Amino acid sequence: MEPNKNETTPTNNTAVNAEKPSAEAAAANTSKPGTPNPVPKNVLAKPGAVPPKGAVPPKGAMPPKQGAGKKHNYYKMMMTVIDTVKQDYAGFQEKEEVNDTKYPMNMLVYAYQKRMVNEVMFLRIVSEYLASLGDPNLKFSMVNHGNYKNNTVGFRARRYGDDLYVTEVGRDDRLKPGDKITKLDKYTPGEHRTKIPKNFMTGNTPEREQWGGFLKMFPSFDVEHADGTTEHMKFRHFIIEKPKRKMEFESLNEKTFYICVEEFSQNTADLEKAIEEHAAELTSCENLIIDLRKNEAGTEPGFVPLLPMIFDSEEELGALLEKEAVYTNYSKNNCEHTTKKIQSMKERYEKANNADAVALADQLIAEFNEKSGTGFQKDVPEDDILAAYQEVHEGKEGRYNNIKKVILLTDTWCRDSGEVFVKLCSGSEKVTVVGRPTMGTIDYTNYVNASIEKSFILSYPMSKRQNVVDGHPYNETGLPVDVYIPWTPQECTEDLLRKKALELLEA
């Protein structure tokens, strides 16, 4: 599960039950506190069986209170999720071998038997099921309503050996980067990792694991601080706030300039302004470091202002911008969800008297209606990036000819448009990629957000890229790097990747 996303806790306060785990959090742990969560034995009469099609849990199994007061048919919702993954998700063919639907159904029936089913429990079961598919593009979230707010434990951690190391502190100020979590209740993080029946951390190696969602299942942990002192702490939960994405420009020395961008916004005004403010350094430096380690959000047009620093000419960029095909699953559900979204946008365009946008919306709606139910179809997108580059680069030819070497810093948290930027720029002879492989979201695109009983959102991609069809996916490995630096706890307090980049540039 992705860090700091999914699962909810009821509250009206910023800090949620700071010293006491919520009732919902306790209910979300289907085993005894402090133990891993294996598939319960004898969950059903026949081990490994699932309820027959059309079966419903026994009458009276539903607990008296259902989350925020809503009553749901959880079995029906689970089947909707499973059917959507099979019929509408673009990556099902690649994930079919690991698509074990018996596990979530067993867990759901077990929860009914224990009278533990509520919205938070259902959110956890589905999130675990999606995480076991190994595609970070798949998301399941609860819509904030009533007293329920999506929450986080207030820090991020990464596994090294048996322990978790705090890499980033958000709102839990009791911790510092470098603190070592030695136990989650009775077991070490490493022991939990080996005992759980499925890969709920998405990643298949310690440095690629995502622990954010799993940490929220526990009431307490043991931590060893940098000064050697140890402490037993209760987990705190904080309402998730919109993250502040950093953009940093810095001259490291006479020859090297550093740019850090954590989001490629569709509105490029801030990035363009920052580039102009540092035009003197950028048009005189020989080396450029672009830090994309935490580039977790954004759109592809958002990185266009940086392209002239990588590519000296339109021809050089155009040679790498192959008309890569995208294969879209035009299932009836995907077309219905997409046309509803376009229709909503069209209504806003009509209010704004934007006739061109309205006409485009009508065209797209007609295309989706025509292709509805036809399954996978090959599409060749237009070269929006090249057109945007031409606009940005006009009249500035040769402006950055001074830049001879470019290093891209990447890590597991570089995803989506950040990965597209890395894949594109790595084709330039002046670029070297340093760090660790990216998250691996680049295989799939064009997201659908499907509402389930107005309480949950299932987000999944409906298109796959040509590399997947050709049998060369990046989903589990991420985009490769030229200089690999394995993650160690030393990085919690020291920027080893930036130091390595400077060493390479000075060599």
Side-chain angles (χ1 to χ4, degrees):
M1 284 174 277
E2 186 171 353
N4 302 339
K5 289 187 180 180
N6 295 344
E7 299 198 43
T8 59
T9 302
T11 180
N12 288 322
N13 302 319
T14 300
V16 181
N17 299 326
E19 299 300 333
K20 182 179 180 181
S22 66
E24 285 76 12
N29 192 345
T30 57
S31 61
K32 294 180 180 180
T35 62
N37 296 286
V39 179
K41 294 182 178 179
N42 302 320
V43 170
L44 303 169
K46 183 179 179 181
V50 297
K53 189 175 181 179
V56 295
K59 187 175 181 180
M62 186 97 54
K65 292 183 179 181
Q66 292 296 306
K70 287 190 175 184
K71 289 187 176 182
H72 298 291
N73 184 331
Y74 288 100
Y75 177 76
K76 180 181 177 181
M77 289 198 299
M78 181 66 76
M79 291 307 301
T80 297
V81 171
I82 290 173
D83 289 343
T84 300
V85 168
K86 183 177 181 179
Q87 298 171 13
D88 307 312
Y89 163 50
F92 178 73
Q93 182 178 356
E94 293 74 44
K95 301 297 181 181
E96 188 170 7
E97 290 186 5
V98 295
N99 182 42
D100 180 8
T101 58
K102 292 180 181 179
Y103 176 80
M105 293 304 300
N106 282 352
M107 292 302 293
L108 183 61
V109 173
Y110 176 76
Y112 268 112
Q113 292 174 344
K114 296 296 183 180
R115 297 178 61 82
M116 297 166 67
V117 180
N118 58 21
E119 288 171 320
V120 175
M121 169 63 80
F122 184 71
L123 178 63
R124 174 190 163 182
I125 294 173
V126 175
S127 296
E128 289 180 348
Y129 162 60
L130 296 179
S132 71
L133 296 176
D135 182 1
N137 289 294
L138 293 166
K139 298 287 185 299
F140 192 68
S141 57
M142 186 190 295
V143 178
N144 287 337
H145 55 85
N147 291 331
Y148 283 75
K149 302 293 181 184
N150 289 324
N151 71 86
T152 170
V153 295
F155 65 90
R156 285 189 176 188
R158 207 162 188 168
R159 186 164 73 91
Y160 186 82
D162 270 351
D163 303 312
L164 286 174
Y165 288 82
V166 177
T167 58
E168 183 179 336
V169 174
R171 301 172 67 185
D172 192 340
D173 56 8
R174 300 172 300 169
L175 301 170
K176 292 182 179 180
D179 284 349
K180 179 170 64 174
I181 297 175
T182 57
K183 284 188 178 181
L184 296 170
D185 290 339
K186 297 179 181 179
Y187 296 88
T188 69
E191 289 172 330
H192 280 291
R193 185 66 181 84
T194 58
K195 291 176 182 291
I196 57 176
K198 298 288 180 181
N199 183 1
F200 299 146
M201 285 80 173
T202 305
N204 49 16
T205 60
E207 67 182 16
R208 294 182 65 80
E209 292 170 358
Q210 301 176 48
W211 282 77
F214 196 65
L215 290 177
K216 292 188 286 187
M217 298 180 190
F218 297 92
S220 63
F221 62 98
D222 291 348
V223 60
E224 180 181 316
H225 298 293
D227 60 4
T229 60
T230 59
E231 206 170 346
H232 183 76
M233 293 183 174
K234 300 288 186 181
F235 273 106
R236 292 176 177 174
H237 297 267
F238 304 87
I239 296 172
I240 292 179
E241 298 177 338
K242 186 177 180 179
K244 296 178 181 179
R245 305 291 184 184
K246 183 172 69 173
M247 186 165 65
E248 182 180 343
F249 283 63
E250 180 185 358
S251 181
L252 301 183
N253 55 50
E254 292 182 358
K255 293 184 177 181
T256 305
F257 196 80
Y258 171 85
I259 298 176
C260 176
V261 184
E262 294 185 351
E263 178 179 2
F264 287 129
S265 173
Q266 188 166 2
N267 182 357
T268 61
D270 289 342
L271 180 56
E272 291 173 350
K273 180 181 178 182
I275 290 173
E276 289 303 317
E277 288 176 349
H278 296 275
E281 297 102 313
L282 287 168
T283 55
S284 62
C285 68
E286 295 180 13
N287 308 315
L288 179 63
I289 299 174
I290 302 179
D291 193 340
L292 304 163
R293 285 175 285 181
K294 294 180 182 179
N295 195 297
E296 301 180 78
T299 61
E300 292 177 23
F303 60 62
V304 170
L306 294 176
L307 292 181
M309 304 176 198
I310 311 291
F311 302 100
D312 297 327
S313 67
E314 177 184 328
E315 290 74 22
E316 184 185 3
L317 175 60
L320 293 171
L321 275 172
E322 303 173 2
K323 284 186 173 287
E324 186 177 42
V326 172
Y327 295 79
T328 299
N329 183 4
Y330 288 100
S331 67
K332 290 183 178 179
N333 285 336
N334 287 343
C335 290
E336 181 179 343
H337 288 306
T338 305
T339 52
K340 282 183 179 179
K341 181 179 179 180
I342 298 172
Q343 181 63 39
S344 177
M345 296 170 63
K346 175 187 171 182
E347 291 171 2
R348 294 200 297 270
Y349 297 146
E350 288 174 335
K351 290 181 180 179
N353 295 318
N354 190 336
D356 290 340
V358 170
L360 178 59
D362 284 334
Q363 178 184 339
L364 292 173
I365 290 173
E367 289 178 2
F368 274 96
N369 286 336
E370 181 180 351
K371 294 179 180 179
S372 180
T374 60
F376 279 98
Q377 300 292 327
K378 182 178 179 179
D379 298 320
V380 180
E382 296 182 2
D383 285 334
D384 294 336
I385 293 177
L386 185 58
Y389 172 87
Q390 292 168 340
E391 183 177 344
V392 168
H393 200 235
E394 185 177 2
K396 300 176 182 177
E397 290 78 2
R399 187 183 191 190
Y400 301 107
N401 285 348
N402 51 287
I403 299 177
K404 306 302 181 184
K405 296 180 181 179
V406 178
I407 287 184
L408 304 183
L409 298 182
T410 66
D411 199 355
T412 306
W413 315 122
C414 176
R415 58 176 297 160
D416 298 330
S417 58
E419 285 188 288
V420 176
F421 180 78
V422 172
K423 185 180 180 182
L424 176 61
C425 294
S426 60
S428 170
E429 292 183 357
K430 68 169 68 173
V431 168
T432 302
V433 184
V434 176
R436 289 170 286 274
T438 57
M439 184 166 286
T441 57
I442 195 171
D443 288 345
Y444 304 101
T445 186
N446 293 332
Y447 294 93
V448 174
N449 293 318
S451 175
I452 298 180
E453 291 197 9
K454 298 182 179 180
S455 292
F456 302 93
I457 298 292
L458 174 61
S459 179
Y460 60 92
M462 66 176 180
S463 302
K464 64 179 71 175
R465 299 184 192 270
Q466 183 70 52
N467 63 287
V468 180
V469 177
D470 292 341
H472 304 294
Y474 298 107
N475 196 231
E476 295 184 6
T477 61
L479 294 173
V481 296
D482 299 308
V483 180
Y484 171 65
I485 302 174
W487 189 86
T488 64
Q490 188 178 354
E491 278 193 51
C492 295
T493 54
E494 187 176 352
D495 196 340
L496 299 183
L497 268 61
R498 194 162 102 164
K499 181 181 292 186
K500 181 64 176 180
L502 284 168
E503 290 176 1
L504 291 171
L505 291 171
E506 293 171 359

